[in-house]
Amino acid sequence: LPDPRAPKNTSWFARRFPRLERFKDRIGLGDPHVEGDEDAVFHTPFYNRFRAVVDWCVAKRWVVIATTLGIFIVAIVGFGLVQQQFFPNSTRLELLIDLRLPEGASLRATQAEAERLERILDREEGIQNYVAYVGTGSPRFYLPLDQQLPAANFAQFVILTDSIPAREALRERMIELFKRDFANLRANITRLENGPPVGFPVQFRVNGPDIATVRHYAAEVAGVMRGNASLSDVQLDWDEQSKVLKVEVDQHKARLLGLSTQDVANFLNTSSRGLAATSYREGIESIDVVLRGDAFERDKLSLVAELSIPTRTGKSVPLGQVATVSYAFEQGLVWRRNREPSITVRGQIYDSRVQAPTVTAQVEPLLEPIKARLPAGYRIETGGAVEESAKGQSSVNAGFPLFLGVVLTVLMVQLNSFSRTAMVVLTAPLGLIGVVLFLLLFNQPFGFVAMLGTIALFGMIMRNSVILVDQIEQDMHNGLPAWNAIVESAVRRLRPIALTAAAAVLAMIPLTRSAFFGPMAVAIMGGLIVATLLTLLFVPALYAAWYRVKPVPTGGSATDDLRSAQLS
């Protein structure tokens, strides 16, 4: 085997890149090539300068600790400037367009609006195909799809585009289209979502026992939300009353003609919707034969009073002879939550740079005057992305005690000391300094995925701290004074800690372009870079303060002490 202490020949890297080799020697990273001295590498100018920095941090331990805590407090305050996010949008190529006509609109009217949009989409570029669903939403082709209930006034388009840029360009054109056209309906243009679907990202629910009062306060909430520049298409999930035709039967006249209320109801149902008179069988299929009035009678509601209703005597009389026909409005749909009427005021965010929790935080203070005026039994609740994010956070919090218990157990087994375990654990939250800094620099939101990355980052920080603390304990066990052990352990662990951190940071760079993993990658990169500095500078100062380490009397160098300790 080759002798590691023998002088080394010029490396391939030095021959191939001589300028980089000279630059490495200039900054003090070159190989000293001292025969028989394995620690000579730690006496280069670079390591000597780093040793002096660590020695200063240990000497000025309270300054370093106070400065680090001050920066940590600033990071906690700065975390409020980081936009919050639940889950990023999916990178799939589908685009969803929901059309909602007023409550009570017929399928024919919804079909007409859908066909009108189809003619527009046929002229658009960047579309592979699209599917329109009238009267219902799309079946679940994607697990987090926000499925819609069947309704005559609802239609949904699923558009498959050529690429992500084509999807975004089509989305912008559709947003502008519905701003200037389709005034008789409400549109919602959305991408597919990752995580639990919310549909509209910003939502507030108004709950209470009386429908009219709930509607009144929901209108006030909607007015506040429309005042926010980041919100578009602010609407209520139900509000409009449906037009109805009321037929009040004169019981005295009906009895004279041998008619009952049930007879009148059956006659009207047969005329408008039809009655299955018989069935026709074709092979294994059974087809109903429906008897109903012609289209002219069904479309002209003004002719209802003139419809001829047959009596039991075999003659027919106009419906207006036995009943009074009038027009009115009634609730076509009532959503209830916990058995109380509940109206959800919801809004869409079309600006990709703005996150739902940020807009929700802007709107909530403006709703306080309305909440203060609410009668007893009425309340305004926050929904949408904020509510779903809280549910996801609660699931993580439920497993946090187990996570903490396992971490503490492993650290105790490794370090065999309560004090050293506590010191290592206290360094973990300081990684938030780098997380907040990089999220702000790269304008990335902090969401559920970034939170998981931050939890993993805490483990990386504690791993580095364990490596350094364990090295200090080993050097002290070998007879090195505590002060010199702290400084020399940081110097000797510099290369392994820095290289592992650099490898992890470089591995995260490709993920920064991902819409889903980008925030997590940025958080880990920033946290690791700061964690490396914390491990090499802050942990030595913390260790010296924790154990009240005093300076070593002036004498031989720390490396000489280490060598003598190893020899002994």
Side-chain angles (χ1 to χ4, degrees):
L1 294 175
D3 185 3
R5 300 178 181 178
K8 298 181 181 179
N9 296 325
T10 305
S11 65
W12 173 88
F13 182 85
R15 294 193 302 269
R16 187 69 178 83
F17 303 100
R19 292 185 178 180
L20 290 178
E21 186 69 19
R22 288 194 296 272
F23 174 76
K24 188 175 71 170
D25 293 335
R26 190 178 301 116
I27 64 175
L29 289 176
D31 192 347
H33 298 299
V34 178
E35 184 175 358
D37 190 356
E38 297 179 357
D39 296 324
V41 66
F42 301 116
H43 289 282
T44 60
F46 173 80
Y47 279 104
N48 288 334
R49 286 192 290 268
F50 178 71
R51 181 181 287 107
V53 172
V54 176
D55 190 79
W56 182 90
C57 290
V58 175
K60 305 293 184 181
R61 63 196 71 173
W62 295 113
V63 175
V64 174
I65 294 174
T67 303
T68 304
L69 292 179
I71 297 175
F72 177 71
I73 294 173
V74 172
I76 295 297
V77 176
F79 188 75
L81 302 177
V82 179
Q83 293 200 71
Q84 304 297 304
Q85 184 187 59
F86 182 34
F87 271 97
N89 291 311
S90 173
T91 55
R92 291 178 61 110
L93 302 181
E94 289 88 354
L95 189 70
L96 303 182
I97 300 180
D98 297 345
L99 306 180
R100 286 181 175 83
L101 277 69
E103 189 65 38
S106 64
L107 278 172
R108 186 181 304 175
T110 307
Q111 177 71 27
E113 297 296 338
E115 291 175 352
R116 183 183 171 195
L117 181 58
E118 287 176 354
R119 291 191 293 269
I120 296 175
L121 293 176
D122 289 338
R123 301 191 297 267
E124 292 289 343
E125 298 179 352
I127 298 178
Q128 293 187 23
N129 57 71
Y130 64 85
V131 181
Y133 300 89
V134 179
T136 185
S138 167
R140 189 181 298 278
F141 65 92
Y142 177 66
L143 183 60
L145 178 67
D146 183 22
Q147 283 191 289
Q148 303 296 322
L149 296 175
N153 65 326
F154 177 78
Q156 186 176 64
F157 283 75
V158 180
I159 306 172
L160 180 62
T161 58
D162 294 331
S163 61
I164 296 295
R167 184 195 70 180
E168 295 304 304
L170 178 63
R171 177 175 174 269
E172 294 297 329
R173 293 195 297 270
M174 291 296 101
I175 291 173
E176 294 300 323
L177 170 67
F178 287 105
K179 284 183 179 179
R180 66 175 186 270
D181 204 349
F182 291 88
N184 59 332
L185 57 80
R186 297 167 296 174
N188 184 32
I189 302 101
T190 58
R191 312 177 186 93
L192 292 178
E193 301 176 73
N194 285 316
V198 295
F200 289 81
V202 179
Q203 299 180 14
F204 292 95
R205 291 189 300 270
V206 183
N207 305 319
D210 181 64
I211 293 179
T213 306
V214 170
R215 179 182 286 111
H216 169 74
Y217 286 106
E220 292 191 23
V221 173
V224 173
M225 294 177 62
R226 291 188 180 100
N228 190 290
S230 300
L231 286 174
S232 303
D233 297 338
V234 177
Q235 54 188 260
L236 283 63
D237 62 342
W238 64 275
D239 179 42
E240 306 99 347
Q241 293 184 325
S242 300
K243 294 178 289 185
V244 295
L245 185 146
K246 290 186 176 183
V247 179
E248 298 182 4
V249 179
D250 188 329
Q251 299 295 336
H252 178 69
K253 294 181 179 180
R255 282 194 297 269
L256 291 177
L257 297 174
L259 297 174
S260 65
T261 303
Q262 184 66 38
D263 295 333
V264 176
N266 290 338
F267 171 73
L268 291 175
N269 285 331
T270 302
S271 299
S272 58
R273 300 179 181 179
L275 177 67
T278 183
S279 61
Y280 168 74
R281 182 171 295 276
E282 182 175 333
I284 61 174
E285 299 292 333
S286 179
I287 304 172
D288 290 336
V289 178
V290 178
L291 175 65
R292 64 180 179 181
D294 59 21
F296 181 78
E297 292 180 350
R298 298 197 306 272
D299 291 341
K300 300 295 183 180
L301 294 181
S302 59
L303 301 179
V304 171
E306 301 177 12
L307 293 176
S308 297
I309 179 173
T311 64
R312 295 184 179 181
T313 60
K315 298 181 179 180
S316 300
V317 297
L319 179 62
Q321 295 292 326
V322 296
T324 302
V325 179
S326 61
Y327 304 93
F329 290 90
E330 70 177 14
Q331 297 295 336
L333 176 68
V334 177
W335 281 105
R336 297 181 183 273
R337 192 179 184 89
N338 295 328
R339 298 184 297 179
E340 288 185 343
S342 176
I343 296 180
T344 301
V345 188
R346 51 198 185 180
Q348 186 61 261
I349 300 176
Y350 289 135
D351 189 350
S352 301
R353 299 168 298 179
V354 181
Q355 301 299 327
T358 302
V359 179
T360 302
Q362 296 172 356
V363 174
E364 281 183 331
L366 303 179
L367 298 179
E368 291 302 325
I370 300 178
K371 293 181 180 180
R373 292 187 283 104
L374 288 176
Y378 294 83
R379 59 193 180 278
I380 298 177
E381 301 172 346
T382 302
V386 173
E387 183 181 41
E388 293 298 327
S389 179
K391 292 179 182 178
Q393 182 66 45
S394 63
S395 64
V396 175
N397 293 340
F400 189 79
L402 177 61
F403 160 77
L404 187 61
V406 172
V407 169
L408 292 177
T409 301
V410 173
L411 289 177
M412 282 297 301
V413 171
Q414 177 68 28
L415 298 174
N416 297 317
S417 171
F418 283 105
S419 60
R420 289 194 293 270
T421 299
M423 182 173 56
V424 169
V425 172
L426 288 177
T427 61
L430 299 179
L432 287 176
I433 299 174
V435 172
V436 173
L437 177 62
F438 270 59
L439 288 178
L440 290 176
L441 287 178
F442 288 91
N443 194 26
Q444 292 285 349
F446 184 85
F448 191 79
V449 180
M451 180 188 66
L452 297 181
T454 303
I455 295 175
L457 173 67
F458 290 166
M460 300 177 192
I461 296 174
M462 289 188 288
R463 177 204 62 189
N464 290 341
S465 300
V466 168
I467 291 174
L468 184 56
V469 171
D470 185 67
Q471 184 66 51
I472 295 173
E473 294 297 323
Q474 289 184 21
D475 289 347
M476 292 175 61
H477 180 73
N478 291 332
L480 198 65
W483 186 288
N484 293 344
I486 294 172
V487 174
E488 290 304 315
S489 296
V491 172
R492 295 167 65 190
R493 294 291 95 190
L494 168 61
R495 178 176 291 183
I497 291 176
L499 288 179
T500 54
V505 170
L506 292 176
M508 290 294 152
I509 291 178
L511 293 178
T512 57
R513 300 178 60 86
S514 170
F516 188 82
F517 294 106
M520 180 194 70
V522 171
I524 292 179
M525 288 171 60
L528 272 179
I529 293 174
V530 173
T532 303
L533 296 176
L534 289 175
T535 303
L536 298 172
L537 300 178
F538 172 75
V539 173
L542 180 63
Y543 190 97
W546 194 285
Y547 291 101
R548 302 176 182 176
V549 177
K550 297 181 180 180
V552 179
T554 305
S557 66
T559 306
D560 294 338
D561 294 338
L562 177 62
R563 187 181 296 110
S564 61
Q566 291 174 342
L567 292 175
S568 62

